[in-house]
Amino acid sequence: MHLSESARAVFAVLAGAGTATRPQLAAGAGLSKPTVSSAMAELEAAQLAACSGTASGGTGRSAAVYGLGPAAGAVLAIDLGPTHTRVRGCALDGTLLAQATGSRADAADAVRKALASLPAGGPLRAIVVAVGDVTTQDPEGTGMRPATAKAGPAFDAMSVALPPGVPVHLENNVNCAALAELHEGAARGRHAFGYLRIGVGIGLGIVIGGKVLRGANGAAGEVARLPYPWDEGREPRHEALEEYIGARSLLRRAREAWQDADGPRPRTVERLFALAEEGHATARAVVGRHAADVGRLATAVAAVLDPGLIVLGGATGADPQLLPGVRAELARLSWPTEVVSSTLGDSGTVAGASRLAVAHGIQIVTGRHAGEALTGNRRSANVRTSAF
């Protein structure tokens, strides 16, 4: 689609604002009112923008209010999580249009359900898939894919539901969650922090200077690769730290600590934490030990990055019961670092993926670079809170 430079600029501002009058578009794009009028005529003719009503100004005059038109289209965000798949379809202004949830095994069905719920007629501009893995170039040159078996088979099984011809972008799930925390979560307004996810696996999203750090191999924050154990007489194993801190080992330690008088052993981490919150002595001891372990990992993060803030997320990491133990270990082993729980819960990853998808969709319409979406610096990527 060929648009003039002024039309591209105005479209980007309109997508970021959701709705705007011509004076607001002129101010946002830094263009004269006549230039904006010409750009809006161009966008309306292409059905990329449409008048959505009027607003009364301070002088009593009414001004036309514009929003995106039907040809602006939609984007799809997919969180291919370790146990569940979450899918969201959004307009390019961030408005939520469709959503679906399924198990990891039913990821393709969840994608099909969300696609079927999108408004008919508008094009699907872009798809972002958040995966629990480093991403790499497909050997056949067809695009990006997960680098290992952590997410590769699940991605391939889900991909059969993706419509052909739509650009697909992959991003690490923890980076997506960190992006969401930066804009609308516990790290809003902070320029440096670490998002430490603790659940089935572990991962770290690193934000420095308001930008998500990806690293030379796209593997920054892969704390599962930290050498563990690291002492005399024991050889570090591949991703042994993730195995030790992950949910499966936490439940194993709970089973080992459980006594006959403690009642039925918890079958899930959620049940273990619920018992701890109720005051169950053994459950509280297991959770306390887990908090200390997470605190030692947080200390390693602070030692390398000194981020000033660590946001704890993930299925177990976001539970506030971990905060006292994590804070205590940091205070004992490192320098002062603020530690808070994620405020976004399970929705953080798909929220960040939605933000990225919107930025890519806007790029396709405007021809402008979408890479800054991962840094959070582009105004047009500021998806409205209502979408999440």
Side-chain angles (χ1 to χ4, degrees), residues 353-376:
S354 298
R355 182 174 295 274
L356 283 174
V358 164
H360 283 296
I362 293 170
Q363 177 204 17
I364 288 170
V365 174
T366 64
R368 296 182 171 195
H369 179 54
E372 289 185 356
L374 197 57
T375 73

Side-chain angles (χ1 to χ4, degrees), residues 6 44 86 110 169 221 230 287 332 362 376:
S6 59
E44 287 186 281
R86 295 175 176 83
H169 308 270
W230 195 352
V287 169
R332 184 175 75 88
I362 293 170

Side-chain angles (χ1 to χ4, degrees), residues 312-386:
L312 296 180
T316 57
D319 194 299
Q321 293 182 80
L322 292 184
L323 285 176
V326 174
R327 289 168 174 166
E329 280 298 280
L330 268 166
R332 184 175 75 88
L333 297 173
S334 190
W335 38 79
T337 303
E338 184 182 359
V339 184
V340 299
S341 299
S342 167
T343 59
L344 299 178
D346 294 338
S347 68
T349 296
V350 74
S354 298
R355 182 174 295 274
L356 283 174
V358 164
H360 283 296
I362 293 170
Q363 177 204 17
I364 288 170
V365 174
T366 64
R368 296 182 171 195
H369 179 54
E372 289 185 356
L374 197 57
T375 73
N377 291 335
R378 179 175 290 280
R379 183 174 182 271
S380 62
N382 289 344
V383 182
R384 293 184 294 168
T385 305
S386 62

